[in-house]
Amino acid sequence: MVETFKDRLKRVSRRYIRFDTLQTLQLNLGTLCNMRCEHCHVGASPAGQKVMGRPIIDQIAEIVKRIPGIALDITGGCPEMNPHFRHLIEKTEGSARRIVRSNLTILSEPGYEWLPDFFREQRLAVTASLPCYLEENVDRQRGKGTHARSIAALRRLNQLGYGTELELNLVYNPGSDFIPGSQQLLEDAYRKELADKYGLRFNHLFTLTNAPIGRFRAFLEGNGSYERYMNLLSSRFNPDAAENIMCRTLISVDWEGVLYNCDFNQAIGLPITGSGGEILTIGELEAAARSGKELFLSDHCYCCTAGEGSSCTGALVA
Ligand code: SF4
Ligand code: SF4
């Protein structure tokens, strides 16, 4: 790679390497998950040890109350497995918008059957992983039986009004080392396939480029394609996506309350620091989200600007 991501961004606009305004607080509740997917950038699994505790959750809920209009984007791991998940949702009732990122299979795990009704009661928006509409691709990427369980979960959510009265979005990510194609075309294909085969509805499909970090990086290095993938990301740099990189309007919080520019930075341990180099935590959200504060960027960031761009809410220029 010839140029750092930060330099590349600066060539488009010096503004783009700086924070704009806080619109979304993303809460990563930890690495506990009922699955163990190959591409997982946070390395989550049933043995995940990082679990956000109640004191941090309470602190976040108090802070959020003071920021009108902010969206809460709740992720993990599998956020629903955090023992304080219900408490967090109840404490943040009244927030402008709350999104839960669900892997769908958790909804059929014993002991978690209450979740869909709870989502509805609390009017949570659901953003659900479904890396393909084809069974063989989903099962290859996420484990045997995942597709069938995901379809059953989507059916239940549809019955409760998700996909019509309540928001249900799906997330696609490539099964290997390539960049997603057109988000709109893929959404059309998902919509047709899921409706025709299973009678399912959803609102939007978000395409997400795999970040070259964590388990996915290990996979790339293992088959000798890391360099090739990085070159692909940088060669497909899209200046139009640069203005909208999500870290200009989002702050991510980890299980211990440490702040990051995004979940990817969190996964690689690149926190937001203050002027003296000190790591900022949730109590210092205002300082971390100051307009004009320089972002903490590295070369994995090329995954956000390749092709149509990529973010937690899908393509950036679709
Ligand atoms: S990708 Fe999602 S569902 Fe899979 S292990 Fe990671 S957190 Fe769990
Ligand atoms: S990886 Fe994170 S910090 Fe880098 S450009 Fe993407 S959102 Fe911003």
Side-chain angles (χ1 to χ4, degrees):
M1 194 162 309
V2 285
E3 190 174 23
T4 67
F5 180 76
K6 187 185 276 188
D7 288 344
R8 189 71 168 268
L9 214 50
K10 272 203 277 191
R11 275 207 285 131
V12 187
S13 168
R14 292 191 161 264
R15 272 194 310 123
Y16 297 170
I17 65 160
R18 298 190 178 276
F19 196 78
D20 186 11
T21 47
L22 184 63
Q23 292 173 10
T24 304
L25 188 63
Q26 188 169 63
L27 313 182
N28 188 316
L29 302 192
T31 55
L32 191 57
C33 187
N34 58 323
M35 299 178 71
R36 196 185 186 286
C37 306
E38 254 185 21
H39 64 271
C40 185
H41 70 268
V42 296
S45 77
Q49 298 287 314
K50 298 173 179 170
V51 177
M52 188 182 279
R54 197 143 161 158
I56 299 282
I57 284 179
D58 285 339
Q59 196 182 358
I60 289 171
E62 284 310 310
I63 288 170
V64 162
K65 270 188 206 148
R66 303 199 295 262
I67 315 176
I70 196 173
L72 283 186
D73 184 337
I74 304 161
T75 186
C78 170
E80 302 98 317
M81 286 179 78
N82 182 294
H84 313 290
F85 175 73
R86 182 190 276 273
H87 175 71
L88 165 69
I89 300 302
E90 287 171 350
K91 281 278 275 193
T92 55
E93 214 171 332
S95 299
R97 177 171 158 76
R98 292 170 303 165
I99 305 147
V100 60
R101 290 188 183 265
S102 180
N103 65 25
L104 292 175
T105 60
I106 188 64
L107 307 188
S108 57
E109 292 286 350
Y112 292 93
E113 300 87 351
W114 54 277
L115 282 167
D117 290 302
F118 181 65
F119 290 172
R120 183 190 153 80
E121 236 172 76
Q122 290 285 334
R123 317 287 298 175
L124 301 183
V126 175
T127 296
S129 322
L130 190 68
C132 188
Y133 46 76
L134 295 174
E135 183 164 1
E136 64 200 84
N137 290 346
V138 174
D139 285 4
R140 192 181 325 116
Q141 191 182 121
R142 315 204 105 195
K144 204 165 165 37
T146 302
H147 183 267
R149 292 175 69 190
S150 302
I151 296 296
L154 290 173
R155 196 163 277 139
R156 176 78 187 119
L157 290 170
N158 274 184
Q159 282 164 356
L160 291 170
Y162 276 96
T164 45
E165 171 206 345
L166 288 156
E167 197 177 328
L168 171 63
N169 298 310
L170 302 180
V171 178
Y172 159 89
N173 65 285
S176 191
D177 50 354
F178 56 92
I179 293 171
S182 154
Q183 179 171 274
Q184 187 58 57
L185 289 181
L186 203 56
E187 180 178 299
D188 294 345
Y190 263 67
R191 201 175 300 289
K192 179 166 179 2
E193 198 73 18
L194 292 178
D196 290 356
K197 265 200 184 150
Y198 309 105
L200 294 174
R201 295 176 305 271
F202 64 97
N203 296 95
H204 292 291
L205 178 77
F206 299 151
T207 54
L208 197 65
T209 303
N210 288 322
I213 58 173
R215 237 174 244 158
F216 186 60
R217 178 174 177 154
F219 160 80
L220 293 170
E221 286 174 339
N223 68 15
S225 58
Y226 178 73
E227 280 302 315
R228 194 199 66 76
Y229 187 65
M230 292 304 291
N231 286 332
L232 172 70
L233 296 180
S234 102
S235 68
R236 296 285 309 281
F237 178 83
N238 180 349
D240 293 334
E243 180 173 9
N244 300 322
I245 49 175
M246 64 179 165
C247 48
R248 301 193 63 221
T249 55
L250 172 148
I251 296 277
S252 160
V253 193
D254 79 2
W255 67 291
E256 292 179 303
V258 174
L259 303 179
Y260 303 81
N261 284 132
C262 72
D263 206 48
F264 298 138
N265 284 10
Q266 184 177 142
I268 63 166
L270 183 62
I272 299 175
T273 53
S275 48
E278 73 287 6
I279 291 174
L280 301 185
T281 59
I282 185 66
E284 293 134 325
L285 181 61
E286 224 175 37
R290 183 175 47 79
S291 178
K293 183 168 174 61
E294 192 166 325
L295 302 168
F296 291 80
L297 304 167
S298 185
D299 289 340
H300 66 283
C301 296
Y302 274 109
C303 69
C304 295
T305 49
E308 290 188 353
S310 176
S311 74
C312 287
T313 49
L316 299 173
V317 294

